[in-house]
Structures are given as structure tokens and as C-alpha cells.
Amino acid sequence: MDHQEQNAVIGPIELIKKSWLFLKKHAVILVSISVVPFIFVAVIGTLFFLASIIQSPILMTICAILYLAAVVLGATFYPALTHTIHKLSTETDPRITIYGQYAFGFRVFWQFILLVIISFFATWGATLLFIIPGIVVIIYSLFYFFTFTIDEKRGFAALTESYGLIKGRWWTVFGRLIALLLVCFATALVYGIIISTVGTVLSFILNGVVLYAITLVLNVSLQIAIISFSAIYMYYLYVSLRSSRQHIIPSVAYKRWLMAFVVIGAITFVSYVAFVGSYISKNLDTIKSQSFIQQNSALSNK
């Protein structure tokens, strides 16, 4: 039965073709959804640059608040993008707005954060056990974005549902993931060579600020394209896995392993943070004195 299921899973070439066609067809709405966090980060970076120049504590405080807001916005982005792709794929006349999609992301924000924390600690804990278990958990957890957003699974249920889709087809999914990574790497490499060449030519014509702005826009465009393409690719793979699944995979044992990995990961992570914090607090005076000596040495050399 596993062999039959493997044959039913969409191939990497077909995944690439379908993802590219989908991206071209819905480029405007996908870029509109994806560009929001980048604009927010650009605004924060500009304000932080200004604050560092004029030495304004108020502006620094505003930057810190905006940075926290950017973290929240980044967490809502992934459910918003996943939900957008699903609506575009399944509805004949989807009504999609930037506000509506991010509103959806904000509605599930805390549930999504909890899922990310569980996944992080499970992966951390599994990786500590000679790395290989961590890789296995990462692959089994690939589709929790989709099981969370589309299947409305929460907490461990999102992870075990992802496991149920992949169990018996681990290498099939792994191979398609490698294909995606190769496509993204090749695209970034070719794009980087082109941008570098164009930038070298334009450097003789444009001033540094304009050239930097153009390069920044082009680099952000590449990131948005890769993020959108990857999300579409994984969505089609998720749909194929779900439609070709011929039986429900028992996940009780896997959930127990996940819970054990979470406990191990949480304990070791908290212990590590506590150790680093304790080390810094004990050696803070030494660090300050070394920094002071280095500053005086630099001034005396001048």
C-alpha cells in the first residue's frame, strides 16, 4: 500500500510547473500579502538608523515597540499566506484583501505561536539525540502550517496530522523537498550573478544611495518570489499527500515521542539560557573593563 501511495504523490517536475503557473497567475495578490512584513522591517530599519544618528531615546523606544510589532506581524504572515494560497486554489471567485488575510492571521496568532513553540522544542530535543532524530522530526513536521491553517488542527494534533501524511512516504517527501531547495538555490545563484553584473555597470552611472535602493528592491523581490513559490510548492505537495492517503496512520506513539522531545528540548534550552545569563552577569565587570581598555587603546593609537 505504501508503494501505491508513493506512486500517487505528485512528482517534483509537475510540482515545479504547477507552482510556477500558480505564481504567475496570482502574482499580484501574493506579492501584496508577502511584501507587508518587508515594508514594516524597512520602516523600522530606517527609524533605527535615524535614531542612532540623532541619539534619540524616544525614537529608540519607538523602534523597540515597532520591532515587537514586526515579530507579531511575521508570525501572522505564514497563516495569512497559507490561507491565501488555499482560497485561490479552491474557490472560484475568492475575495481576498490584505486586511482580511492578516486579520485571519491575527485571529489564530496565539494558537500558532503555541504550535511553533512546541515544534521548536520538539526539534531541539530530538536534535540533541545525535542529530538524526531531529532531521526525522523536521521532515515529519513539514506540513504543520497547512494542517493548522486548512485542517484546523491545533497543538500536537497539527504535528501528528503532518506525521500521518508523511508516514511511509518519508523519502518521497524528502526527495521533493531537496528538489525545491535546488530550484531555490539555482534561482538565487543566477539572480545574484545578474544583479551583481547589473550593479557593477550601474555603479558607473548612479550614485551610491540610488544604487543601494535599487539593489535592495531587487533582493526583496527575489525573497518574496522564493517564499511565495516555496509555499505554493509545499501546498500542492500537501494536497497530493492528503488526497492519496489511503488509510489513517496511528499517531499515538509518535505523539508520545514528540512530548518527550519537547520536555528534553525545553529543559535543555532553559538551562542553556540560564547558564549564559549567569555567565554574563558574573563576568559583566570583566567584559566592561575589557571593552574600556580596547576603547582607550584605539584612542591612543589615533
Side-chain angles (χ1 to χ4, degrees):
M1 186 173 293
D2 287 345
H3 180 69
Q4 293 176 349
E5 290 186 11
Q6 283 187 354
N7 292 337
V9 177
I10 186 172
I13 302 299
E14 186 65 20
L15 276 170
I16 293 169
K17 289 180 179 178
K18 292 185 69 173
S19 301
W20 173 243
L21 291 174
F22 188 96
L23 180 59
K24 287 200 300 181
K25 182 179 180 180
H26 303 290
V28 174
I29 185 61
L30 291 173
V31 169
S32 300
I33 298 296
S34 302
V35 78
V36 173
F38 287 96
I39 293 176
F40 206 77
V41 170
V43 171
I44 295 173
T46 303
L47 290 175
F48 184 79
F49 177 73
L50 293 174
S52 62
I53 293 177
I54 64 178
Q55 297 293 313
S56 171
I58 296 177
L59 198 54
M60 283 288 191
T61 304
I62 293 174
C63 288
I65 295 172
L66 289 177
Y67 179 78
L68 292 176
V71 172
V72 174
L73 186 64
T76 62
F77 164 70
Y78 292 102
L81 182 61
T82 303
H83 191 247
T84 300
I85 294 171
H86 182 59
K87 289 188 69 174
L88 290 171
S89 179
T90 57
E91 298 181 12
T92 55
D93 185 24
R95 297 182 178 181
I96 296 175
T97 63
I98 297 175
Y99 173 80
Q101 295 310 110
Y102 276 95
F104 170 82
F106 278 108
R107 284 198 300 271
V108 298
F109 172 77
W110 289 112
Q111 295 167 317
F112 184 68
I113 288 297
L114 175 62
L115 176 57
V116 170
I117 292 173
I118 292 173
S119 178
F120 170 77
F121 282 136
T123 303
W124 178 281
T127 303
L128 292 176
L129 302 177
F130 307 106
I131 300 177
I132 299 299
I135 297 174
V136 173
V137 169
I138 288 172
I139 299 299
Y140 276 140
S141 303
L142 278 176
F143 299 101
Y144 76 76
F145 284 162
F146 304 102
T147 59
F148 174 86
T149 305
I150 300 170
D151 299 324
E152 299 183 352
K153 301 292 184 179
R154 299 294 182 258
F156 282 99
L159 295 172
T160 56
E161 178 67 14
S162 177
Y163 162 82
L165 292 172
I166 300 171
K167 176 65 175 175
R169 303 183 281 188
W170 195 93
W171 286 108
T172 300
V173 173
F174 182 76
R176 283 149 179 77
L177 178 62
I178 294 299
L180 172 62
L181 294 176
L182 289 175
V183 169
C184 293
F185 175 77
T187 302
L189 181 63
V190 173
Y191 193 86
I193 293 173
I194 295 173
I195 294 301
S196 178
T197 304
V198 173
T200 302
V201 174
L202 292 178
S203 64
F204 296 102
I205 305 171
L206 304 174
N207 63 53
V209 176
V210 175
L211 184 60
Y212 173 77
I214 293 175
T215 304
L216 180 62
V217 170
L218 292 175
N219 287 332
V220 168
S221 300
L222 174 64
Q223 293 178 53
I224 290 174
I226 289 178
I227 289 171
S228 300
F229 179 84
S230 300
I232 298 165
Y233 183 101
M234 295 302 290
Y235 172 77
Y236 276 127
L237 181 55
Y238 155 79
V239 171
S240 178
L241 289 169
R242 189 174 66 170
S243 62
S244 63
R245 181 170 60 179
Q246 299 180 12
H247 59 281
I248 302 299
I249 303 294
S251 58
V252 175
Y254 180 70
K255 182 178 179 180
R256 289 172 180 168
W257 276 108
L258 279 180
M259 295 175 70
F261 290 145
V262 167
V263 172
I264 294 172
I267 291 175
T268 54
F269 182 79
V270 171
S271 300
Y272 174 77
V273 172
F275 171 78
V276 172
S278 176
Y279 176 83
I280 292 175
S281 63
K282 289 180 180 178
N283 296 274
L284 188 59
D285 293 336
T286 303
I287 294 172
K288 287 182 177 179
S289 63
Q290 289 177 349
S291 177
F292 180 75
I293 292 171
Q294 289 175 356
Q295 289 177 0
N296 287 339
S297 176
L299 291 173
S300 62
N301 290 332
K302 291 182 180 179

